């Protein structure tokens, strides 16, 4: 085997690439450390130099996905003319745009994550996403509370709870996808729309905002995402 | 081996008992079907007559735990003089009482559930609890919306979201326990109290209830639970 000498972070990233691809393709439970070693074309020794176990690799995959998610979200709230509510809406609008752009990839991800052999993968990604998103949203809520545009006396707890609700939206998105794949586009779109609207209402009420201030969804988004 | 002839539901329940005990004692990942077969003193054939796989056994453990939880909750809302808000408060009060009564068992459960080898166990129990609790809470919200004591135009979605928030409370409860075990009772109690209060506020606001109508916690509960 011919192996090229590469800087450590390049090698480590390649291992994470391989692991991520294999986990999503074949399932986390069904992928062994040896599968990753072979796919990445590294020695056993080299692998264990970077990761002590498959669990550590899972951690790295989840952390990198969450980090990339954060990097995609951060520019959305950079506009200094936005108040806190504007920033929350910018996050929603940007996240809808990304969902439509990456729809087919995202659908595969959803289908993979909700398989029984991927419960650990799902769980770690969920944890990692929460860990990077809570400080971001808490900061927006803190600012909004200070400027008086929203009411969130305990921004950390409020941010965690609002993001926890996104988890239930993810479940519904998966159910809606299954329904769409079973041929019921109308039912699936109505289900997803209804949930996103209730999610928006929950945020407005929780932060004492006027009705209609949070655009958690927009007309035709659910249908466009399902059909994309 | 001497085996007694038992009715099928007794045998099946015994297998679930054994599995539950082993899963919580040694971890789900570390328990094999053979461990359960040995502990229950049944033949392999008998085991597979009841459960096709370890996964099916996990399902049965989770479903039974959720069913028992539902049976414990239902009498709490049976008082016909209670309106919907009274029923929600009765659920909270009853759940606090149960937490205090079963504190040491619950602490062990929490410690087991949050271990990496129990992520599948955690996940399935969570799903099963949501599956039985959502209809119960949705029914309360539907009634409250009809009688005008609360505002929940989409009771199913609202119930799912409120119960999803409980998941984040469970995480905080686990963190508070760790903090208490590390010697910081004050910090742990304050953390848990703060979260429970924010949870109560979230429910009040989401259902458009006056401040203070939901008693998600009460003074000294967190401290009493941690010290129990």
């Amino acid at each position: 085997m011919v192996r090229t000498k590469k800087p450590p972070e390049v090698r480590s990233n390649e291992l994470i690439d391989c692991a991520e691809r294999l986990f999503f393709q074949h399932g986390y439970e069904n992928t062994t450390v040896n599968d990753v070693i072979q796919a990445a074309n590294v020695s056993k020794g080299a692998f264990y130099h970077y990761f002590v176990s498959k669990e550590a690799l899972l951690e790295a995959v989840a952390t990198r996905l969450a980090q990339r998610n954060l990097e995609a979200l951060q520019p959305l709230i950079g506009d200094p003319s936005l108040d806190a509510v504007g920033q929350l809406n910018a996050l929603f609008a940007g996240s809808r745009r990304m969902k439509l752009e990456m729809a087919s990839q995202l659908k595969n991800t959803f289908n993979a994550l909700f398989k029984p052999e991927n419960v650990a993968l799902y769980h770690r990604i969920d944890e990692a996403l929460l860990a990077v998103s809570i400080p971001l949203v808490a900061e927006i809520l803190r600012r909004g509370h200070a400027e008086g545009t929203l009411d969130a006396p305990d921004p950390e707890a409020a941010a965690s709870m609002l993001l926890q609700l996104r988890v239930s939206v993810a479940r519904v998105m998966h159910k809606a996808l299954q329904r769409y794949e079973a041929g019921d586009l109308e039912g699936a779109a109505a289900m997803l729309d209804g949930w996103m609207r209730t999610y928006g209402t929950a945020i407005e009420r929780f932060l004492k905002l006027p009705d209609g201030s949070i655009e958690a969804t927009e007309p035709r988004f659910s249908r466009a995402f399902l059909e994309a």
Side-chain angles (χ1 to χ4, degrees), chain A:
Chain A
M1 243 190 283
V2 180
R3 292 200 179 97
T4 356
K5 183 104 184 131
K6 292 176 182 170
E9 64 290 1
V10 172
R11 182 63 87 200
S12 144
N13 251 315
E14 282 178 359
L15 285 168
I16 303 175
D17 287 340
C18 282
E20 187 176 309
R21 187 165 47 78
L22 293 172
F23 289 169
F24 279 102
Q25 261 176 15
H26 307 300
Y28 176 71
E29 293 297 338
N30 310 323
T31 303
T32 64
V33 165
N34 273 333
D35 295 336
V36 179
I37 286 173
Q38 278 188 17
N41 189 27
V42 299
S43 70
K44 216 162 195 154
F47 176 88
Y48 284 105
H49 173 71
Y50 293 105
F51 301 101
V52 292
S53 62
K54 186 173 135 183
E55 181 72 23
L57 201 51
L58 169 60
E59 195 68 35
V61 167
T63 305
R64 199 180 68 175
L65 273 173
Q67 194 53 42
R68 287 187 176 165
N69 191 265
L70 183 66
E71 282 160 17
L73 293 178
Q74 248 154 355
L76 301 174
I77 55 170
D79 179 349
S81 71
L82 292 175
D83 66 7
V85 178
Q87 287 183 316
L88 291 176
N89 279 323
L91 285 178
F92 275 115
S95 136
R96 279 196 298 274
R97 212 163 43 238
M98 287 190 276
K99 280 196 186 79
L100 287 180
E101 281 166 13
M102 317 190 332
S104 72
Q105 193 189 330
L106 210 62
K107 287 176 185 180
N108 288 336
T109 306
F110 267 114
N111 283 332
L113 280 182
F114 283 90
K115 284 184 183 154
E117 63 267 34
N118 280 335
V119 59
L121 184 66
Y122 174 86
H123 204 79
R124 285 305 308 139
I125 291 179
D126 201 38
E127 293 274 331
L129 284 173
L130 280 176
V132 300
S133 315
I134 289 172
L136 184 82
V137 172
E139 186 48 41
I140 296 177
L141 298 186
R142 196 172 293 115
R143 200 188 137 197
H145 194 76
E147 72 196 8
T149 48
L150 53 81
D151 185 288
D154 185 348
E156 280 291 323
S160 298
M161 290 189 185
L162 292 183
L163 287 161
Q164 193 65 51
L165 290 188
R166 268 203 89 74
V167 178
S168 70
V169 174
R171 279 179 206 211
V172 173
M173 200 165 252
H174 177 239
K175 276 190 204 157
L177 273 172
Q178 287 181 312
R179 201 154 160 180
Y180 167 67
E181 280 160 18
D184 182 12
L185 170 63
E186 294 309 319
M191 181 188 194
L192 193 49
D193 264 347
W195 268 78
M196 290 306 295
R197 273 198 306 272
T198 301
Y199 182 44
T201 304
I203 299 176
E204 284 165 7
R205 292 185 179 183
F206 189 29
L207 302 176
K208 290 200 171 171
L209 293 170
D211 288 357
S213 10
I214 295 290
E215 292 182 324
T217 188
E218 61 189 347
R220 292 181 307 282
F221 165 73
S222 295
R223 177 183 278 269
F225 175 70
L226 290 166
E227 288 191 304

